[in-house]
């Protein structure tokens, strides 16, 4: 019986380790700050470089946007990309500010997908993903 219990614990630990290693949204074991990717920007950079004067694009679903979003942010998500983009064409084509796209949190890929689709559709160069997403913005907003 002890051998069976040990085997089951070992099997469960192996499954947990494998999930942690290969799951796309695995939690960090250590709270280590990863460096910014080329297409990412932090709230600190936004405040220092552009004094917050950016065009915010919310890549979350409509319900999350309605529940709360960065003031002045426009909605552009994967679910309704074509129709929302059509409504934002004038804004995006005349925009001179940096574009910052955000979604829920660090492991959210929606903002990166929107960034890629925007770059494929329009000649946009000065666009970034907000590292930490909505959560990062909320933390800074609470401090102010």
């Amino acid at each position: 019986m002890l051998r069976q219990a040990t085997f089951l614990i070992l099997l469960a630990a192996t499954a947990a380790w494998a999930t942690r290693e290969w799951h796309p949204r695995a939690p960090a074991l250590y709270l280590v700050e990863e460096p910014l990717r080329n297409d990412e920007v932090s709230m600190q950079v936004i405040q220092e470089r552009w004094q917050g004067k950016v065009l915010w694009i919310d890549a979350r679903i409509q319900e999350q946007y309605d529940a709360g979003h960065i003031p002045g942010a426009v909605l552009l998500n994967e679910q309704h990309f074509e129709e929302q983009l059509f409504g934002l064409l004038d804004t995006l084509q005349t925009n001179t500010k940096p574009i910052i796209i955000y979604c829920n949190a660090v492991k959210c890929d929606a903002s990166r997908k929107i960034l890629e689709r925007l770059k494929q559709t329009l000649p946009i160069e000065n666009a970034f993903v907000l590292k930490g997403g909505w959560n990062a913005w909320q933390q800074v907003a609470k401090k102010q």
Side-chain angles (χ1 to χ4, degrees), residues 1 9 14 18 22 35 39 42 62 78 84-85 89 128 136 138:
M1 186 149 132
I9 290 171
T14 303
W22 294 300
D39 63 350
S42 67
Q62 181 75 48
E78 291 180 277
Q84 291 170 344
L85 180 63
L89 276 178
F128 304 92
Q138 283 185 311

Side-chain angles (χ1 to χ4, degrees), residues 4-24:
Q4 290 172 339
T6 304
F7 176 74
L8 288 175
I9 290 171
L10 183 60
L11 188 63
T14 303
W17 174 81
T19 301
R20 165 63 184 97
E21 287 299 311
W22 294 300
H23 195 279

Side-chain angles (χ1 to χ4, degrees), residues 68-82:
H69 57 272
I70 297 173
V74 295
L75 179 64
L76 182 61
N77 59 36
E78 291 180 277
Q79 294 78 10
H80 304 287
F81 183 82
E82 304 296 332

Side-chain angles (χ1 to χ4, degrees), residues 75-133:
L75 179 64
L76 182 61
N77 59 36
E78 291 180 277
Q79 294 78 10
H80 304 287
F81 183 82
E82 304 296 332
E83 62 193 55
Q84 291 170 344
L85 180 63
F86 183 74
L88 295 174
L89 276 178
D90 287 339
T91 303
L92 292 171
Q93 290 175 337
T94 59
N95 177 53
T96 57
K97 301 176 192 173
I99 298 171
I100 310 299
I101 306 167
Y102 69 94
C103 53
N104 281 333
V106 175
K107 293 285 185 177
C108 178
D109 291 327
S111 52
R112 188 156 274 109
K113 290 176 184 176
I114 293 298
L115 176 62
E116 290 170 11
R117 289 187 72 180
L118 271 177
K119 286 184 175 184
Q120 291 170 355
T121 308
L122 300 170
I124 293 176
E125 294 179 21
N126 203 13
F128 304 92
V129 169
L130 174 61
K131 183 172 181 146

